């Protein structure tokens, strides 16, 4: 398959919620629409539909070379502010600055959303510790909190050791573009796209309950980093 089209397919998947489940780092849109810390398949599908529509420039229900050319022409026209058919150095600089501004704006929005969710979690945690609803934590309540935290830490350490003995989980959903283009015809139909989204979601949903928790997302990020590191080490050794 054409390398550029592989990039198009991978970008489409990454932008529409599957890879974003694992790679939510401020650059990628978070599919957790209601901010409850849990991502359902419906949320991923909703974001996937939005992303597919953006990539499908001619609206024919297929992602192919024609869409890539159309989007390239659209981006060029926007950057060519004087309409002379060429991009001057000033226009190139303006295009780059606009891209960086949009990226920073998305990052700031993600930071604000994370801060809000963090505040909500802290409030819930405090309320669960304040067993007598006094609005403050007594020495006994503080002790109970530390004991509970210690027990959770011990359980987590045991799980990490158990995973280590098994060799650790495999990387989730690698080679997304190949997975999306199921029939290898150098184009991705909406049916192929939806099937790839559902298949990758299923890999992240380790307990098969139809939703991806923050713990599952964290495990996916760790597995993805391990896969990238192994691939990079292999390439350096060649």
């Amino acid at each position: 398959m054409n390398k550029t089209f592989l990039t198009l397919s991978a970008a489409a998947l990454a932008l529409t919620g599957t890879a974003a489940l694992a790679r939510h780092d401020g650059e990628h849109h978070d599919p957790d629409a209601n901010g409850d810390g849990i991502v359902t398949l419906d949320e991923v599908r909703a974001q996937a539909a939005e992303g597919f529509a953006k990539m499908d420039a001619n609206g024919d229900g297929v992602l192919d070379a024609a869409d890539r050319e159309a989007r390239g022409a659209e981006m060029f026209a926007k950057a060519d502010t004087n309409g002379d058919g060429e991009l001057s150095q000033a226009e190139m600089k303006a295009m780059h600055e606009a891209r960086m501004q949009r990226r920073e704006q998305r990052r700031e929005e993600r930071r604000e959303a994370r801060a809000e969710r963090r505040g909500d979690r802290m409030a819930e945690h405090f309320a669960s510790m304040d067993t007598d609803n006094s609005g403050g934590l007594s020495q006994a309540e503080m002790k109970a909190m530390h004991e509970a935290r210690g027990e959770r830490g011990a359980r987590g350490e045991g799980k990490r050791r158990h995973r280590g003995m098994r060799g650790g989980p495999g990387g989730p959903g690698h080679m997304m573009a190949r997975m999306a283009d199921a029939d290898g015809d150098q184009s991705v139909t909406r049916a192929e796209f939806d099937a790839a989204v559902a298949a990758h979601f299923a890999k992240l949903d380790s307990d098969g309950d139809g939703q991806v928790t923050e713990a599952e997302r964290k495990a996916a990020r760790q597995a993805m980093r391990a896969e990238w590191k192994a691939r990079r080490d292999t390439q350096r050794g060649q």
Side-chain angles (χ1 to χ4, degrees):
M1 184 184 290
N2 180 281
K3 182 178 180 182
T4 306
F5 182 70
L6 277 175
T7 302
L8 170 66
S9 303
L13 285 170
L15 284 170
T16 53
T18 51
L21 281 172
R23 294 184 59 193
H24 179 43
D25 51 13
E27 292 282 346
H28 299 81
H29 295 284
D30 188 357
D32 181 17
N34 60 8
D36 64 354
I38 296 174
V39 180
T40 65
L41 182 55
D42 285 342
E43 286 176 319
V44 170
R45 282 174 172 162
Q47 192 176 28
E50 179 183 348
F52 188 94
K54 289 180 180 178
M55 299 296 291
D56 184 17
N58 59 12
D60 64 354
V62 178
L63 302 182
D64 54 18
D67 293 303
R68 184 174 67 249
E69 293 172 2
R71 288 183 64 81
E74 181 183 354
M75 291 174 64
F76 187 92
K78 286 183 178 180
D80 182 20
T81 54
N82 62 7
D84 65 353
E86 295 182 344
L87 295 184
S88 66
Q89 184 175 351
E91 288 171 330
M92 288 288 291
K93 180 181 179 182
M95 179 177 66
H96 175 72
E97 290 176 348
R99 182 186 302 123
M100 296 302 295
Q101 184 177 3
R102 290 193 300 270
R103 183 176 299 175
E104 182 57 34
Q105 182 178 355
R106 289 195 298 269
R107 286 176 175 170
E108 182 60 29
E109 290 172 353
R110 301 298 179 272
R111 282 194 290 265
E112 291 177 357
R114 285 197 299 270
E116 183 176 351
R117 290 196 295 269
R118 187 163 52 245
D120 291 341
R121 288 195 297 269
M122 290 178 64
E124 292 175 3
H125 183 62
F126 184 91
S128 68
M129 294 297 100
D130 183 19
T131 55
D132 59 4
N133 297 318
S134 67
L137 298 182
S138 66
Q139 186 174 352
E141 289 170 330
M142 289 289 291
K143 181 180 179 181
M145 178 183 68
H146 289 305
E147 289 176 349
R149 184 180 300 168
E151 291 175 1
R152 288 195 299 270
R155 287 196 299 270
E157 180 63 25
K159 290 180 181 178
R160 285 192 291 272
R161 289 177 180 173
H162 185 54
R163 284 198 300 267
M165 289 186 289
R166 292 203 311 259
H174 61 287
M175 298 303 290
M176 288 187 185
R178 183 177 299 174
M179 179 173 62
D181 184 21
D183 56 11
D185 66 350
Q186 299 187 21
S187 64
V188 178
T189 66
R190 180 59 188 270
E192 288 176 323
F193 186 85
D194 289 345
V197 168
H200 191 61
F201 182 91
K203 289 187 177 183
L204 299 182
D205 182 18
S206 57
D207 58 8
D209 65 351
Q211 56 188 23
V212 176
T213 64
E214 182 59 36
E216 287 171 323
R217 297 176 78 175
K218 182 178 180 181
R221 285 194 295 270
Q222 292 172 341
M224 187 179 294
R225 292 190 190 105
E227 181 186 351
W228 287 341
K229 184 178 184 300
R231 187 182 301 126
R232 185 172 62 249
D233 292 344
T234 299
Q235 291 173 346
R236 288 175 177 174
Q238 292 176 348

